[in-house]
Amino acid sequence: MANKTVLVQEHQKLGAKIVDFAGWDMPLHYGSQLDEHRMVRSDAGMFDVSHMTVVDVSGDDAAVYLRYLLANNVDRLTRRGKALYSCMLNESGGIIDDLIVFWCGDDFYRVIVNAATRDKDLAWMKKQAQDFLVQVRERDDLSMIAVQGPNARAKAHVALGRELAARVEALGIFFGEQFGSLFISRTGYTGEDGYEIVLPHNEAVAMWQALLAAGVAPAGLGARDTLRLEAGMNLYGTDMDENTSPLESGLAWTIGWEPKDRDFIGRAALEAQRGDPQLPHFIGLMLTDRGVLRNHMTVQLDGQQVGEITSGTFSPTLGQAIAMARVSGAVKNRCQIDIRGKLHDARVVKLPFVRNGRSCVEA
Amino acid sequence: MSNIPAQLKYTRSHEWLEQRADGTVRVGITDHAQDLLGDMVYVELPEDGRVVKAGEECAVVESVKAASDVYAPISGTITAINPALAGAPEIVNSDPYGDGWLFCIQPANPAEIAQLLDATAYEAAAQDH
C-alpha cells in the first residue's frame, strides 16, 4: 500500500494527477506543470512535501554528533534558528543523502532529509549515534507545506493571520523557528523566496485551505523538479548518490574543511580526492539548438564521450533546454550532446540558471 | 474518457489520421496521448518530401516529462509539416485534432487506411494504456 500524506484528498479535489514517488502517492501536477512552474516564478505556489523526513536530534552530544555525522560543519550555525545545507557521507565520501539542519536550541537540532532515503538515513543516523549521548527521533507526526514565489510570503502572512504574520515576517533568509505548533523556515527548493511550514498532521488541511484561499496556487512534483533544476539545485538519487562525492557533484562549497582537525565521516576519502585533476566535475549546460535535454544523455567532446547529463529538462523560464552534467576535466566552454543519435551543440554555463524569477545565464 | 472524434482513423500508438479532399492525409497525436504526455515543449517533425513506411518513426513530441516517438500510420511521402509548432508546441495540447496537427502524407497505398482503427476500436485500445 502506498503511503499517503494527509493532504491527498485536497489534491484529488483540485484535480491532481497522482503518481507514485518513492512509495508515496504524490501530485505530479494539477492540470499543467508549466502553468504551475510559472506561477511559482511570477506569484506564489505551494507544494505538499509531507513525504520528506523530519528528524530531531537532541541531547548533550547533539552538536558533537552532528560535527562527526555531516560533511558541513554545524559550528557554522552561530545564530539560533539558522539553517545549514549539508551532505551526509559514507566512509568512501559517497553521498548517503543531502539535508538541511537547523539549530533550534540548546542541544537540539532539526534535520530534514529526503523521502526516498528515509529508511537508510534513519538506520545510518541511529548507528552513528551509538557512541554519543544523543537521541535521534523521526517526527512522523508532522506534515510539511512549501510556499514559494515572489508573493509567497505576503500570501502566507494572510493565511497565518495578522498576529502570527508579524512574528514570522521577521525570519531571515535560511532561518527557521517554532511558532506555537508551526515550525516555519525561510527555505525552499525553487530559487524563489518563501517558507516551508512543518506542522502537526491534524493542522495541515486547514493550513493548505487557508493558503489556497489566500491565492497560493497548488503545484506538483513536476514543477518542483523544473524549478529546482533552473535554480541549479541537486536532486538526490539523480545528480548524486552513494557512488559520487560532493566534489563530483558541484557541492564542494558544502564541505566544512575547517577546522582541519574536525573528524567527520568521509573526510579521509574527500582529502584524497581533493586536487585530483582526473576527478569528474559538475557543470551547467544550455542547449544551443532547439530540443530537450534529458537525464542520461551522453556529453561528447571531439567524438569522445566525456560525461553524462544527470538532470535535464526544458527550462520554462528561459525557453531553452538546460541540464546539469558530470563530465571529465577536458570540458571547458562547449561540448556536444547526443540526442537520439545526433550531436547537438551545448555551452557550459555557471549555475544557477534562474534565481528570483530572473535568468542568471550570461549571454 | 478523452475526446475521440468519430470521423478519424487511429493507431494503437495514439496517432490519428484524417483523410483530406486532396487525397493526402493529415496526422497528429490523440487527445489521450497529449494528456498522458503533459505540457508539450518541443516537436521534431520530418523533412518535407521524406518517404516513410507505415510504423516508421518520423516525428518526436517532447513534453516537460518525456520524449515520445510518433510513427507514420501509413506508408507514403511527407507533403507538409505544421509550421506553427516550432514556435508554439503547446498547440498540440490545446487543439490536438485541429491546429495541433503534425504532418501530411500522400499515401503510397490508400488501402492501408482501411486497416487502421476506428474511433470505437481506438477507445477500447486506449483504455489499456
Side-chain angles (χ1 to χ4, degrees):
Chain A
M1 248 278 289
N3 293 308
K4 290 175 172 51
T5 77
V6 299
L7 294 170
V8 71
Q9 282 172 323
E10 298 304 305
H11 304 321
Q12 282 159 351
K13 274 196 268 177
L14 292 163
K17 180 174 168 59
I18 303 282
V19 294
D20 173 77
F21 179 83
W24 290 77
D25 279 352
M26 297 302 290
L28 180 66
H29 61 72
Y30 302 82
S32 168
Q33 175 179 332
L34 282 180
D35 288 349
E36 291 160 24
H37 180 109
R38 292 181 183 122
M39 280 301 283
V40 172
R41 286 276 177 255
S42 64
D43 186 359
M46 61 177 163
F47 305 85
D48 175 11
V49 284
S50 305
H51 58 313
M52 295 194 72
T53 312
V54 180
V55 186
D56 284 348
V57 174
S58 57
D60 290 351
D61 284 347
V64 185
Y65 162 72
L66 290 171
R67 271 201 288 274
Y68 174 67
L69 184 76
L70 302 181
N72 210 338
N73 189 354
V74 291
D75 286 349
R76 286 180 175 178
L77 300 174
T78 52
R79 287 176 59 195
R80 190 173 291 214
K82 182 76 179 157
L84 184 76
Y85 174 76
S86 181
C87 290
M88 180 163 72
L89 306 179
N90 58 30
E91 292 291 353
S92 333
I95 304 172
I96 293 172
D97 203 2
D98 64 335
L99 54 84
I100 284 183
V101 55
F102 295 90
W103 179 35
C104 296
D106 290 337
D107 305 325
F108 176 40
Y109 293 81
R110 171 159 285 178
V111 182
I112 299 182
V113 301
N114 283 297
T117 49
R118 171 184 306 249
D119 293 345
K120 72 163 188 176
D121 286 0
L122 286 165
W124 180 260
M125 291 174 80
K126 284 178 180 164
K127 180 180 164 203
Q128 301 304 332
Q130 281 168 6
D131 299 332
F132 297 92
L133 284 173
V134 70
Q135 285 90 48
V136 173
R137 183 158 76 103
E138 185 195 359
R139 296 296 304 269
D140 55 8
D141 54 328
L142 299 175
S143 291
M144 186 162 162
I145 300 169
V147 195
Q148 304 275 291
N151 301 328
R153 290 176 64 231
K155 290 187 172 182
H157 295 158
V158 173
L160 292 169
R162 193 172 297 170
E163 200 182 320
L164 187 53
R167 294 159 59 208
V168 172
E169 203 170 359
L171 268 181
I173 289 172
F174 231 56
F175 276 84
E177 201 179 316
Q178 193 75 41
F179 299 92
S181 58
L182 313 176
F183 180 82
I184 303 180
S185 60
R186 200 160 158 199
T187 51
Y189 195 46
T190 61
E192 299 296 326
D193 203 349
Y195 295 126
E196 291 179 298
I197 304 171
V198 174
L199 73 178
H201 288 324
N202 64 8
E203 295 180 32
V205 170
M207 179 62 70
W208 179 269
Q209 291 174 347
L211 289 164
L212 207 57
V216 181
L221 291 183
R224 189 168 161 82
D225 192 52
T226 48
L227 287 159
R228 70 91 194 166
L229 185 40
E230 283 188 345
M233 294 172 171
N234 294 27
L235 173 62
Y236 189 79
T238 299
D239 299 307
M240 70 259 201
D241 58 27
E242 292 189 26
N243 299 310
T244 54
S245 83
L247 293 172
E248 301 163 272
S249 309
L251 298 176
W253 62 275
T254 70
I255 302 169
W257 298 106
E258 301 295 332
K260 289 186 178 60
D261 61 356
R262 180 174 71 100
D263 177 31
F264 63 87
I265 302 169
R267 175 159 198 147
L270 291 187
E271 298 273 12
Q273 282 188 351
R274 203 177 179 185
D276 175 0
Q278 301 297 317
L279 197 71
H281 63 282
F282 203 72
I283 55 169
L285 287 176
M286 234 173 137
L287 192 63
T288 314
D289 300 342
R290 292 184 55 81
V292 186
L293 297 172
R294 304 282 182 191
N295 303 11
H296 307 302
M297 284 179 174
T298 63
V299 179
Q300 310 229 353
L301 200 64
D302 306 323
Q304 300 280 316
Q305 182 177 338
V306 291
E308 188 182 279
I309 287 178
T310 56
S311 288
T313 194
F314 178 84
S315 160
T317 306
L318 305 177
Q320 257 178 297
I322 58 169
M324 300 200 284
R326 184 172 287 110
V327 298
S328 79
V331 178
K332 300 296 180 214
N333 302 317
R334 300 201 161 266
C335 58
Q336 292 187 304
I337 311 299
D338 183 336
I339 303 180
R340 293 183 290 274
K342 272 193 224 157
L343 293 181
H344 294 259
D345 290 331
R347 66 185 179 110
V348 178
V349 299
K350 245 177 89 179
L351 296 169
F353 301 98
V354 178
R355 192 50 58 96
N356 294 321
R358 288 218 170 77
S359 169
C360 304
V361 179
E362 289 167 22
Chain B
M1 197 58 210
S2 57
N3 178 21
I4 305 175
Q7 74 277 17
L8 304 179
K9 291 286 197 175
Y10 298 90
T11 67
R12 286 182 188 281
S13 47
H14 308 289
E15 292 87 10
W16 57 260
L17 177 149
E18 178 188 38
Q19 292 181 265
R20 295 163 63 79
D22 64 1
T24 65
V25 299
R26 197 174 249 193
V27 178
I29 65 165
T30 64
D31 186 34
H32 179 63
Q34 71 77 22
D35 186 52
L36 282 180
L37 283 163
D39 294 316
M40 228 50 87
V41 291
Y42 178 61
V43 179
E44 191 178 298
L45 293 172
E47 277 178 38
D48 206 351
R50 178 172 148 190
V51 176
V52 294
K53 282 205 191 89
E56 184 177 317
E57 291 169 14
C58 64
V60 180
V61 287
E62 296 212 37
S63 69
V64 270
K65 204 164 72 180
S68 182
D69 290 321
V70 177
Y71 304 95
I74 56 165
S75 306
T77 306
I78 304 290
T79 59
I81 57 168
N82 186 346
L85 299 182
E90 63 275 11
I91 306 172
V92 175
N93 295 114
S94 57
D95 193 8
Y97 298 112
D99 292 343
W101 65 277
L102 301 181
F103 51 84
C104 292
I105 300 180
Q106 178 68 52
N109 176 11
E112 284 179 351
I113 299 170
Q115 289 163 23
L116 297 173
L117 305 178
D118 64 16
T120 313
Y122 174 68
E123 182 170 5
Q127 273 171 3
D128 305 330
H129 300 281

